[in-house]
Amino acid sequence: MSRPGGAGGHGAQPPGRDRPARDPGLQPERTRLAWRRTALALTVIMVLTVRLALTGPPAGGAFGALVAGAAVLGWGAALTVCWRRATGTGPAPGYGRSLPLVALATAGFALLGTLLAARGLG
């Protein structure tokens, strides 16, 4: 008895039959919107981190400037990836590294926030 998917039953198409075109629906738009939300969230976090680093207790100093600089650099790297993905201008360079880079920037902001909180409590 033959299975509908061909002899192997793995969904193989008989010769001469074309597969239907893939319909992505709204998936590309949802993906672009998700990257835009990520970029917006990282921007807000960066602004709050820089503000806390430069004006928090004790205000300023070399440590605050270092934290603010690290926040801006991490934000810039992540925003570059997010912007290319959000505008749909194609995959960012190093396509497979987009998500890990944004995750690293997010973890870096968490670490900077922890350092700032510990500095303010101490």
Side-chain angles (χ1 to χ4, degrees), residues 15 64 116-117:
L116 289 171

Side-chain angles (χ1 to χ4, degrees), residues 11-22:
Q13 292 285 333
R17 281 201 179 169
D18 294 323
R19 299 182 108 190
R22 180 179 174 271

Side-chain angles (χ1 to χ4, degrees), residues 25-66:
L26 294 177
Q27 184 269 331
E29 183 179 0
R30 285 192 310 265
T31 300
R32 284 192 298 274
L33 289 172
W35 280 104
R36 286 180 183 170
R37 284 190 305 270
T38 301
L40 178 62
L42 285 172
T43 301
V44 170
I45 291 169
M46 184 274 305
V47 167
L48 292 174
T49 301
V50 168
R51 179 176 177 226
L52 185 59
L54 297 178
T55 62
F63 179 76
L66 181 66

Side-chain angles (χ1 to χ4, degrees), residues 59-85:
F63 179 76
L66 181 66
V67 170
V72 171
L73 286 176
W75 170 77
L79 189 67
T80 301
V81 173
C82 290
W83 185 256
R84 284 191 164 167
R85 301 300 303 266

Side-chain angles (χ1 to χ4, degrees), residues 70-122:
V72 171
L73 286 176
W75 170 77
L79 189 67
T80 301
V81 173
C82 290
W83 185 256
R84 284 191 164 167
R85 301 300 303 266
T87 58
T89 57
Y95 176 73
R97 293 178 287 195
S98 299
L99 187 57
L101 179 63
V102 174
L104 181 64
T106 303
F109 280 124
L111 179 63
L112 287 175
T114 303
L115 288 172
L116 289 171
R119 178 176 162 239
L121 295 175

